Amino acid sequence: MPSSSPDVEALKQQFSDFLKRKQYRNTQERYKVLDRIAELDRHFSADELYVYMNTKGDSVSRATIYSTLDLLTKCSILMKHRFQGDSAHFELSSRMPDHDHLICVECGRIVEFRAEEIDGIRDTVAKNLGFKPLTHSLQIFAVCPDPVTCEHNGRD
Amino acid sequence: MPSSSPDVEALKQQFSDFLKRKQYRNTQERYKVLDRIAELDRHFSADELYVYMNTKGDSVSRATIYSTLDLLTKCSILMKHRFQGDSAHFELSSRMPDHDHLICVECGRIVEFRAEEIDGIRDTVAKNLGFKPLTHSLQIFAVCPDPVTCEHNGRD
DNA sequence: GTTCTTGCAAACCCTTTGCACGTCT
DNA sequence: AGACGTGCAAAGGGTTTGCAAGAAC
């Protein structure tokens, strides 16, 4: 297995523990969804995952995908993002721990970055307010340096 | 006028400049929407604003509200947030500059806070990536200290 | 007068739900 | 066997759009 891939077995174990603890059932579909997410190893929407799985020959319905994505988010295996667009985006929490996103407001380009200082701020803020910190999502809105797509002054 | 209210005239001027620059028209509806937003002076969804305006006797359609919210967001008068729920939320950028949100993943409670350090991180990160920083949105996900609503271990 | 904006309702997209069937325990 | 999960299609909620009437320029 490629060294850069997520540790699928560890994720399955974590998922299995969660399902047992919450008394959900171990179904083939749920583990298959996790498998394919690990293969993708990038941001994806529910529908992109649905299309990907059908391309790969899995027959898993949208209902099951949405349901499983919800479970995987609840047990912190997945991180759910709401970028500007319509649909939610997900990615493995283990993929790039605590990274954040910079979004160009002109062209929609998304750049990932890591700023370690955020982790400390997150923990300090949460504790000061009496909360137990879990995770965070920082989105920086900026203008892209590409003159062709971003330095125009049009109506859109 | 109450001293804590946003400076509506300045906002209207800013909006007017934007409309002229982008060659949009000055319509009564657009300024009326901005007026009511300033009155509200809090987070709101498009539909909450629609209901509020109809309560106040304005006859502005949902289509116009969505369209105007989009324009106000484009010219940075409004900040558009996507919290976990279904609908987008908006607030005046001038209301509480650069504040952020902590969200309890168990009960959905949202707490506003200000962490000045973020501003510097935002600017540094954007510049390092070659972007011009505009604004940011930091959401901290945490668990609420309220034992009744949050310390349960149920399936939801 | 021409072009843009509004209002209404229908369309649209993402997501959730009801129900019958299949699977897990 | 019983309860839960799945698949399908239909419903749901938020948002966008097409079109005719009205307002801005």
Side-chain angles (χ1 to χ4, degrees):
Chain A
M1 113 172 120
S3 59
S4 63
S5 290
D7 184 346
V8 185
E9 291 312 315
L11 293 174
K12 284 185 178 171
Q13 186 61 51
Q14 187 180 345
F15 195 25
S16 167
D17 291 347
F18 171 80
L19 293 175
K20 176 180 276 183
R21 185 160 52 84
K22 300 281 190 178
Q23 293 174 274
Y24 289 107
R25 292 185 176 171
N26 289 304
T27 67
Q28 302 178 339
E29 289 83 355
R30 286 173 175 163
Y31 289 101
K32 178 60 87 177
V33 166
L34 179 51
D35 261 330
R36 295 303 192 186
I37 290 171
E39 275 180 32
L40 264 181
D41 197 26
R42 61 169 176 81
H43 289 266
F44 61 90
S45 66
D47 203 64
E48 285 167 0
L49 181 61
Y50 174 74
V51 170
Y52 178 70
M53 293 189 70
N54 278 34
T55 301
K56 290 284 180 175
D58 306 323
S59 58
V60 177
S61 68
R62 280 193 175 80
T64 299
I65 287 188
Y66 276 103
S67 155
T68 306
L69 290 176
D70 189 46
L71 293 174
L72 288 168
T73 302
K74 282 208 170 93
C75 68
S76 298
I77 288 176
L78 284 184
M79 182 75 194
K80 182 176 184 173
H81 297 285
R82 304 288 302 220
F83 299 132
Q84 347 82 290
D86 312 298
S87 59
H89 281 69
F90 300 83
E91 68 184 321
L92 285 175
S93 302
S94 62
R95 201 181 138 254
M96 190 198 276
D98 297 306
H99 72 284
D100 293 292
H101 302 88
L102 180 147
I103 297 152
C104 175
V105 300
E106 293 288 346
C107 68
R109 195 142 68 94
I110 297 179
V111 180
E112 299 181 337
F113 66 88
R114 172 106 178 88
E116 282 118 34
E117 312 94 289
I118 305 287
D119 304 1
I121 295 172
R122 172 194 64 210
D123 295 346
T124 303
V125 167
K127 279 171 192 154
N128 285 347
L129 295 170
F131 286 69
K132 183 161 138 263
L134 295 173
T135 182
H136 72 270
S137 172
L138 171 64
Q139 298 174 220
I140 295 178
F141 299 99
V143 178
C144 181
D146 183 338
V148 178
T149 56
C150 297
E151 302 270 324
H152 65 78
N153 201 29
R155 286 185 47 159
D156 289 297
Chain B
M1 117 173 118
S3 59
S4 62
S5 291
D7 183 346
V8 185
E9 291 312 314
L11 293 174
K12 283 185 180 172
Q13 186 61 52
Q14 187 181 343
F15 195 25
S16 167
D17 291 346
F18 171 80
L19 293 175
K20 176 180 279 182
R21 184 160 52 83
K22 299 282 189 179
Q23 291 173 272
Y24 289 107
R25 291 182 177 174
N26 287 304
T27 68
Q28 302 178 340
E29 288 84 356
R30 287 174 175 161
Y31 289 101
K32 178 60 86 178
V33 166
L34 180 51
D35 262 329
R36 296 304 191 188
I37 289 171
E39 273 180 35
L40 264 180
D41 198 25
R42 62 168 175 81
H43 288 265
F44 62 89
S45 65
D47 203 64
E48 284 166 2
L49 181 61
Y50 175 75
V51 170
Y52 178 70
M53 293 188 71
N54 279 34
T55 300
K56 291 284 180 174
D58 305 322
S59 58
V60 177
S61 69
R62 281 192 173 81
T64 300
I65 288 189
Y66 277 103
S67 155
T68 306
L69 289 176
D70 188 47
L71 293 174
L72 288 167
T73 302
K74 283 210 171 91
C75 68
S76 299
I77 288 176
L78 284 184
M79 181 75 193
K80 181 175 184 174
H81 296 286
R82 295 288 239 152
F83 299 133
Q84 349 80 289
D86 311 299
S87 60
H89 281 69
F90 300 83
E91 68 184 321
L92 285 175
S93 302
S94 61
R95 200 182 139 253
M96 190 199 275
D98 298 305
H99 72 285
D100 294 292
H101 302 88
L102 181 146
I103 298 153
C104 175
V105 299
E106 293 288 346
C107 68
R109 194 143 68 95
I110 297 179
V111 180
E112 298 182 337
F113 66 88
R114 172 104 178 89
E116 282 118 34
E117 312 93 292
I118 305 288
D119 304 0
I121 295 171
R122 172 195 63 210
D123 295 346
T124 304
V125 167
K127 280 173 191 152
N128 285 348
L129 295 170
F131 286 70
K132 182 161 140 265
L134 295 173
T135 183
H136 72 270
S137 171
L138 170 64
Q139 297 174 219
I140 295 179
F141 300 99
V143 179
C144 183
D146 184 337
V148 178
T149 55
C150 296
E151 302 271 324
H152 65 79
N153 199 30
R155 287 186 44 162
D156 290 296

